[in-house]
Amino acid sequence: MISSIRLQNFRSYSDSSFEFEPGVNIIVGPNASGKTNLLEAVILLSRGSSYRARDVELIRFSKDWTRLEGDFQQNKRIIKIKRQAEITDKDFELDNNPFRRLSMERTVPVVLFEPNHLQLMSRGPNQRREYFDELLERSRPGFKALSAGYRRTLAQRNALLKHGRTRAAAQLFAWDLRLSELGSQIAIARQGLVDDINQALSKTYSAIAKKKSQARLDYASHFPAENYASRLLSKLHSSINLDLDRGFTGSGPHREDFIFYLNSQPAGISASRGETRSLLLALKIFELKLIEKTREKKPIFLLDDVFSELDGARRKALVGRLKNHQTLITTTDAEAVLEYFAGSHKIIAL
């Protein structure tokens, strides 16, 4: 839970402070008034990084530094980012103790629901991979390092592919072996997450849609989890000429996808707008429960202008899940949100 925040030279803010209630906080303002920037600041203090920008982009235009300070239930947190030539320097303080980076254990659990998530099914596989891998990073210790190691290994292999056949042939096997080992671990973690999601997805979706339906998420992996490493290694070897011709690695977790199904039909093709929103809402409810279970703390729930994308029934379904969670909601239309909150809430006008 966060009780207050101060933003200095952050995005559109010069020096502003806000206080929050333990329950529902409704942030109201016109477009471009800084609503999303405020949620981003809460995420930055909670996780240590932004969900949508590089550090240098967080510093207010023409300034050389930004500073965020927040009072959380766990501790007081400060982040300072300084612009230094072409790079940035970032420092953290937790109760006056300095840190250069935040491990998962030092982050504050937070769940964001924003408009881009509503396009998860209609956009390309890269967005889906990023979404589910980021969820694994926040719920599975060690996955962030695993994912970073895979990306480094993939970059090394791709660089080698561009150096020509003679040099690549002598060195590729070692990189293939490492890529297969790391890729297998990623695939197994992804499949485990999908299995957990499917235990609850149909029930939650049916409750939101008010009709019994079968909802499912599939991990469209190239190989079975039980022998993923050996199968990927074999594929890398058999595809070496093709990979050399195109200059990049064509197989592995970085090329795989996640596919939603509704009543046995691919949801990305057959689902209506309302059905799509119900599926994504069911997924977000799972995410909220997963982070709470994993971290053994109730996460802060951030809703960035998604009420306008949901109809009345789905708004009620979402509000029903907000009990006992501190929630920050942004909107341009306070009345559209307020009718769903008869209890205590706070209005923050920008």
Side-chain angles (χ1 to χ4, degrees), residues 229-283:
S230 61
R231 293 283 297 274
L232 177 56
L233 183 61
S234 177
K235 180 66 174 179
L236 292 172
H237 179 72
S238 64
S239 302
I240 181 59
N241 288 327
L242 180 59
D243 284 355
L244 282 165
D245 288 341
R246 58 192 174 189
F248 64 85
T249 304
S251 300
H254 63 288
R255 304 287 290 181
E256 296 171 342
D257 199 358
F258 297 81
I259 302 174
F260 291 89
Y261 289 88
L262 186 58
N263 296 322
S264 301
Q265 298 297 316
I269 299 173
S270 62
S272 68
R273 181 182 175 91
E275 289 170 338
T276 297
R277 274 145 178 71
S278 292
L279 264 175
L280 268 298
L281 189 51
L283 181 64

Side-chain angles (χ1 to χ4, degrees), residues 194 198 216-220 257-261:
V194 167
N198 284 329
R216 188 178 87 248
L217 176 66
D218 277 5
Y219 175 36
D257 199 358
F258 297 81
I259 302 174
F260 291 89
Y261 289 88

Side-chain angles (χ1 to χ4, degrees), residues 21-75:
E21 295 293 330
V24 175
N25 299 266
I26 303 172
I27 303 166
V28 183
N31 291 328
S33 60
K35 301 186 300 298
T36 298
N37 293 345
L38 180 53
L39 295 192
E40 184 180 27
V42 174
I43 290 176
L44 187 62
L45 280 167
S46 301
R47 298 181 186 171
S49 61
S50 168
Y51 68 97
R52 61 175 184 155
R54 298 176 298 132
D55 287 344
V56 69
E57 298 172 49
L58 306 177
I59 301 173
R60 184 175 170 84
F61 180 71
S62 79
K63 301 297 182 180
D64 294 324
W65 59 273
T66 183
R67 183 182 186 275
L68 299 177
E69 179 178 333
D71 286 311
F72 288 76
Q73 186 176 28
Q74 297 89 336
N75 47 42

Side-chain angles (χ1 to χ4, degrees), residues 11 72 107 116 127 148 179 186 270 281 292 298 345-346:
R11 293 282 202 181
F72 288 76
T107 62
N116 280 335
Q127 187 186 23
L179 198 71
I186 289 175
S270 62
L281 189 51
E292 182 173 348
K298 289 188 180 296
H345 58 263
K346 179 174 182 176

Side-chain angles (χ1 to χ4, degrees), residues 137 142-157 175 178-183 185-186:
E137 288 180 6
F143 187 85
K144 186 173 183 178
L146 169 64
S147 182
Y150 180 86
R151 290 193 300 271
R152 286 193 300 270
T153 304
L154 179 64
Q156 292 280 2
R157 187 180 194 270
W175 293 109
R178 181 61 175 159
L179 198 71
S180 300
E181 293 171 348
L182 296 175
Q185 295 177 53
I186 289 175

Side-chain angles (χ1 to χ4, degrees), residues 290-308:
L290 174 66
I291 298 301
E292 182 173 348
K293 179 181 178 181
T294 303
R295 299 297 304 277
E296 298 182 340
K297 299 174 185 174
K298 289 188 180 296
I300 304 169
F301 202 9
L302 308 178
L303 307 174
D304 190 11
D305 198 28
V306 294
F307 257 66
S308 61

